[in-house]
Amino acid sequence: MKIGILALQGAVREHRNLLRCLGVETVDVLNPHDLHGISGLILPGGESTTVGKLLVRYGLLEPIAEAGRAGLPIFGTCTGLILLSKYINGSAQPRLGLMDAHVERNAFGRQLASFEADMPIPALGDAPFHTVFIRAPYIEKAGGDVTTLLSLEDKILFAQQGNLLAAAFHPELTSDTRVHEYFLRIIATAQTSQ
Ligand code: GLN
């Protein structure tokens, strides 16, 4: 099994290292051909307007959206969450538009632009998860098919919709592999239902 990591910009190496710790082979995705033969795709953090433009320029936007609609498991962190979502408040920037979610970018205000906190995420087990937020977005509202895995007040920070997984935080910046293992379980489910 091979997992693709969109390698246009951002925290590519960190995701790669974490997947290697789990014994998973990765491939950097830079053009549509790289999507062949992957079992899942990770969209790393970065800057979503830039990555969106690059997705268009490299001819990747439509092939990835098509693969996601066809059931390819896709996991987006931060910028990846923004790109996965259908609605981005106040912005017409390019996106994959797969997840039924309304997103607010850079949503935590200046004082909380970056912060870290231990959060309980029951889907990952009893121990809290150390979440790292960097100019993070949140999901303001989501459709009925979206399962919230972590929220703070009414802000959704980690969510799943079938084959799609989105985190406002950066699990690749910790050594805790549980979020990536959760994604591997989504991939395993997708493979058995094929
Ligand atoms: N603020 C960035 C954006 O809008 C996301 C930040 C991140 O990925 N760490 O794309």
Side-chain angles (χ1 to χ4, degrees):
M1 183 187 62
K2 235 172 20 186
I3 294 187
I5 304 176
L6 184 69
L8 299 174
Q9 192 211 36
V12 177
R13 191 182 44 204
E14 290 79 359
H15 278 290
R16 191 190 296 134
N17 290 343
L18 226 145
L19 286 171
R20 278 194 188 148
C21 286
L22 293 170
V24 177
E25 197 187 329
T26 64
V27 58
D28 287 357
V29 171
L30 284 161
N31 64 60
H33 183 76
D34 299 327
L35 297 169
H36 293 153
I38 60 171
S39 304
L41 176 66
I42 290 185
L43 311 174
E47 217 291 316
S48 62
T49 51
T50 306
V51 179
K53 279 186 208 151
L54 292 173
L55 281 172
V56 174
R57 188 181 305 162
Y58 285 73
L60 274 163
L61 192 74
E62 216 14 72
I64 293 177
E66 187 53 49
R69 284 192 291 268
L72 179 74
I74 305 180
F75 171 31
T77 52
C78 205
T79 275
L81 173 150
I82 297 167
L83 292 169
L84 275 177
S85 299
K86 280 193 182 152
Y87 313 100
I88 305 171
N89 290 343
S91 172
Q93 67 194 80
R95 84 247 4 220
L96 299 164
L98 296 168
M99 192 178 244
D100 191 5
H102 291 254
V103 169
E104 182 73 25
R105 290 179 58 207
N106 302 323
F108 287 92
R110 248 204 286 177
Q111 277 177 336
L112 272 183
S114 298
F115 64 100
E116 304 187 13
D118 289 330
M119 303 258 202
I121 304 181
L124 302 181
D126 288 340
F129 195 91
H130 189 71
T131 51
V132 179
F133 294 85
I134 303 169
R135 291 176 54 77
Y138 64 75
I139 298 173
E140 185 181 74
K141 59 180 185 206
D145 287 349
V146 177
T147 304
T148 297
L149 300 167
L150 172 67
S151 62
L152 189 61
E153 290 150 11
D154 49 2
K155 302 169 173 58
I156 301 171
L157 302 174
F158 187 31
Q160 180 182 355
Q161 182 177 11
N163 56 314
L164 310 172
L165 185 67
F169 54 94
H170 289 272
E172 77 284 5
L173 298 184
T174 71
S175 54
D176 193 331
T177 54
R178 286 180 291 159
V179 171
H180 288 74
E181 288 173 75
Y182 189 91
F183 183 53
L184 295 182
R185 289 199 289 278
I186 293 177
I187 293 175
T189 306
Q191 286 174 343
T192 52
S193 64
Q194 257 168 18

